[in-house]
Amino acid sequence: MTPSIKPLTPDFGVCAQASPADMAAFAALGYKTVVNNRPDGEGGPQQPLSADVERAARAAGLHYVYLPVVSGAITAEQAQAMARVLREVPQPVLAFCRSGARSAHLYALAQG
């Protein structure tokens, strides 16, 4: 089941952990870029690996960015990296992590 998307702006939304199977649905919804903010292995072996999500995203015609951040420990460098990503990638962007909250927080930090 595709995770529920929370739009933060017309060009940016967040959702909980996405799987490779979700990528085609995200593309069908009009997203152009997917940003994975969840470190590989954080959720154990049941969490899909970034490489697998990336393959599916690219197969669906999506741009893919892996920008892992640890919950509660987002650095200024990671916020700057997210700001760069948002300037450079095709819009709209969908970011995901375990629940979507970390991606939303990173987005807010990247804004200013």
Side-chain angles (χ1 to χ4, degrees):
M1 185 168 150
T2 302
S4 177
I5 296 169
K6 179 181 179 183
L8 301 183
T9 73
D11 288 324
F12 188 83
V14 298
C15 70
Q17 177 67 58
S19 73
D22 298 323
M23 297 301 116
F26 295 156
L29 289 170
Y31 287 97
K32 303 295 183 203
T33 300
V34 172
V35 178
N36 178 355
N37 294 134
R38 193 168 191 201
D40 274 348
E42 178 184 74
Q46 68 276 13
Q47 177 187 336
L49 294 175
S50 175
D52 296 331
V53 179
E54 180 176 12
R55 268 191 295 282
R58 294 198 186 280
L62 295 166
H63 188 82
Y64 181 85
V65 177
Y66 183 51
L67 179 57
V69 296
V70 174
S71 184
I74 298 172
T75 67
E77 291 79 18
Q78 290 166 328
Q80 292 167 355
M82 183 65 153
R84 254 189 327 276
V85 165
L86 294 171
R87 284 191 307 269
E88 296 171 1
V89 301
Q91 306 282 320
V93 175
L94 178 65
F96 73 88
C97 57
R98 186 188 64 78
S99 69
R102 183 179 345 171
S103 294
H105 187 67
L106 182 60
Y107 175 79
L109 291 171
Q111 299 307 301

